[in-house]
Each structure stands twice: as structure tokens, then as C-alpha cells.
Amino acid sequence: MKVYDTVNKEEVEVEGTKGLIELMRNGRQVDLYLKEKKSDEDGYLTWDVEHWSSIDVKRFIRCYSLEGKVLGESTGHNIYDLENEFKSEEAQKVELS
């Protein structure tokens, strides 16, 4: 999968979702620009970009943006949650920060 690296200003080849998770574990943030807005099940939170990063090798955090504004909410995830929550293949664009 081709991903734009905003730090090094170049496009890099990453080995799918597993490659992105490894990059997060090594200190990079992965930004998923979604094809359409998403909302939580209660309708409380709506977002169009997910910012994923790693706290340590087994714990991850997801922050949210909507229309260019970073939201004050975040969610914590363990490595097993990523199988259900981290959907890089559904993004229209993926960037490394």
C-alpha cells in the first residue's frame, strides 16, 4: 500500500495494515482520511479523520478530527481491538505523521 509520509515529504510503500501497526509501534502516527463521516452508536461523536498512534507495543490511542478540526475525544485500544477498529483499507487516503 502506498502511504504519504508528511515528515519526509515522500510516498512510501507499506506492507498493509500490519506494516502500519509496526510503524505506530516505532513512534509514527497513522492518519486515516475516511471516505465519509462516521459517528459512534450514540450519535455523540462524528469524525472524518482518525489519528492512530501507539502508547507502547500493545496499547494504541485513536484521536479524531472533523472537517479539519481536532476533536477533544480519544479512545484507547489494545492490540486485539485493532483487528476490529483499525480499518486502513477503508480510508481514501493514509498518511504518516
Side-chain angles (χ1 to χ4, degrees), residues 7-40:
V7 174
N8 297 315
K9 309 281 191 246
E10 63 184 7
E11 196 167 73
V12 295
E13 187 69 33
V14 176
E15 198 175 311
T17 299
K18 289 184 181 192
L20 292 172
I21 291 170
E22 273 309 306
L23 287 168
M24 282 190 277
R25 286 179 164 163
N26 291 324
R28 299 299 300 270
Q29 176 176 295
V30 175
D31 302 319
L32 303 179
Y33 292 82
L34 306 176
K35 295 175 184 167
E36 56 189 36
K37 293 178 185 176
K38 281 188 177 180
S39 292
D40 65 355

Side-chain angles (χ1 to χ4, degrees), residues 24-25 28 52-61:
M24 282 190 277
R25 286 179 164 163
R28 299 299 300 270
W52 288 87
S53 56
S54 177
I55 298 168
D56 61 34
V57 295
K58 294 182 180 178
R59 295 184 306 157
F60 300 83
I61 189 167

